[in-house]
Amino acid sequence: MTHDSDGKASMTERKLNRGGGRPLWKQLQEELVRRLRAGEFDDVFPGELALVEDYQVSRHTVRQALSQLRADGLIVAERGRQPRVATAPEIRQPMGALYSLFSSVEASGLNQHSVVRALDLRADGVIASRLGLEASIPLVYLERVRFAGDEPLALDRVWLPAAVAESLLEADFSHTSLYAELAARTGLRLDHGREDIRAVNPTSAERALLHCPAGAAVFSINRLAHAQGRPLEWRHTVVRGDRFALAAEFSAHQGYRLTPATGSSLA
């Protein structure tokens, strides 16, 4: 049972699955994220005792769930004060350099990891032509969902010529940088490139993978990067627009100036 703004009892019941083997705190955390994304807490976030009553769980269970929400930057909970919804965590990326999504996420204070959806050899005539290769040339393909905290941030797809990058098939990309692995295994480092960035509506599959809020747009980023005078990487990344921003600097004297990214050799 919960209470409305006038203090009157309502019959809303909130239940967790106590027989499925999944920790109650994790179920509660996921339920609170769902309600937060739906806008239920825009006015006020419930306190610990209210959550204990609503979900019929222990205070320890509630505190574990709230601790994860704090770690993910979704709520702010100061000692002695009721939790409140935080401004959505934003990963800010300077433009104009070969940047690191890996480094940008960790610089924001959120832990990053990836779920690898594909890592294999394949042929793709369209991508091969973008890399200046014959259509039948085998390519190393890596597809990952990139996480910032406990929430997805980006869907990342990368193609590289197998002739130089086949050793990457042995790498574990769940928590490592592609460019760091490329340098360690092949000695190659990207030295320049071009990106095209557009704001688009995600497909239904992308929206589901990235847990995009209803109506939120994404950044669609295509990158062609070179090393030692030849194209080496074609990358397509879809990034949640509510969690990611691009930044550049300008002044009256210098005009528009793109800002190099710190640690820009890793991605």
Side-chain angles (χ1 to χ4, degrees), residues 138-152:
L139 305 172
V140 172
Y141 176 69
L142 170 63
E143 180 177 323
R144 294 180 286 176
V145 177
R146 314 284 295 270
F147 282 73
D150 205 39
E151 280 288 292

Side-chain angles (χ1 to χ4, degrees), residues 1-264:
M1 182 178 295
T2 60
H3 296 80
D4 61 22
S5 59
D6 296 325
K8 298 177 182 178
S10 67
M11 299 307 294
T12 303
E13 290 189 13
R14 303 196 180 275
K15 296 181 179 180
L16 303 177
N17 183 0
R18 299 173 186 272
R22 297 184 67 243
L24 290 177
W25 74 265
K26 184 63 176 175
Q27 294 183 54
L28 177 57
Q29 178 248 335
E30 292 172 350
E31 168 70 1
L32 293 176
V33 169
R34 182 193 65 77
R35 294 178 63 192
L36 188 153
R37 297 296 187 207
E40 293 187 34
F41 304 138
D42 287 352
D43 295 329
V44 63
F45 193 90
E48 288 184 5
L49 293 179
L51 292 172
V52 166
E53 180 181 352
D54 284 354
Y55 289 93
Q56 293 298 298
V57 294
S58 70
R59 198 161 185 173
H60 177 69
T61 295
V62 169
R63 286 177 175 173
Q64 281 185 291
L66 295 182
S67 176
Q68 186 61 56
L69 294 183
R70 285 195 300 271
D72 291 338
L74 298 177
I75 66 169
V76 176
E78 300 170 352
R79 188 176 182 85
R81 296 186 179 183
Q82 184 165 321
R84 67 181 189 276
V85 177
T87 302
E90 183 180 86
I91 293 84
R92 183 173 296 274
Q93 177 56 60
M95 299 170 63
L98 284 168
Y99 61 81
S100 167
L101 189 59
F102 182 106
S103 298
S104 296
V105 171
E106 298 206 327
S108 73
L110 297 174
N111 292 325
Q112 75 84 33
H113 69 280
S114 298
V115 173
V116 177
R117 290 169 50 82
L119 177 59
D120 55 42
L121 286 178
R122 60 182 64 183
D124 188 310
V126 173
I127 301 300
S129 68
R130 291 169 180 166
L131 293 170
L133 303 171
E134 295 181 3
S136 61
I137 292 291
L139 305 172
V140 172
Y141 176 69
L142 170 63
E143 180 177 323
R144 294 180 286 176
V145 177
R146 314 284 295 270
F147 282 73
D150 205 39
E151 280 288 292
L153 171 66
L155 175 61
D156 203 25
R157 304 180 181 98
V158 184
W159 294 259
L160 306 101
V164 295
E166 189 168 2
S167 60
L168 294 177
L169 296 174
E170 301 173 1
D172 177 6
F173 287 107
S174 60
H175 193 287
T176 191
S177 156
L178 170 63
Y179 293 171
E181 289 290 341
L182 184 67
R185 294 172 183 270
T186 71
L188 292 170
R189 297 180 183 274
L190 300 185
D191 47 45
H192 71 283
R194 173 187 173 85
E195 283 190 339
D196 293 308
I197 304 170
R198 295 183 298 152
V200 301
N201 292 319
T203 66
S204 57
E206 291 167 345
R207 188 178 295 281
L209 278 173
L210 297 177
H211 300 176
C212 292
V218 296
F219 289 107
S220 175
I221 306 174
N222 287 326
R223 173 189 289 189
L224 177 62
H226 296 71
Q228 299 179 1
R230 60 177 173 173
L232 184 65
E233 174 200 44
W234 177 265
R235 182 188 294 248
H236 178 233
T237 306
V238 177
V239 190
R240 279 176 53 168
D242 63 322
R243 305 195 69 198
F244 184 79
L246 295 163
E249 296 181 4
F250 65 92
S251 71
H253 300 292
Q254 295 182 335
Y256 190 81
R257 182 169 65 88
L258 297 174
T259 307
T262 303
S264 61

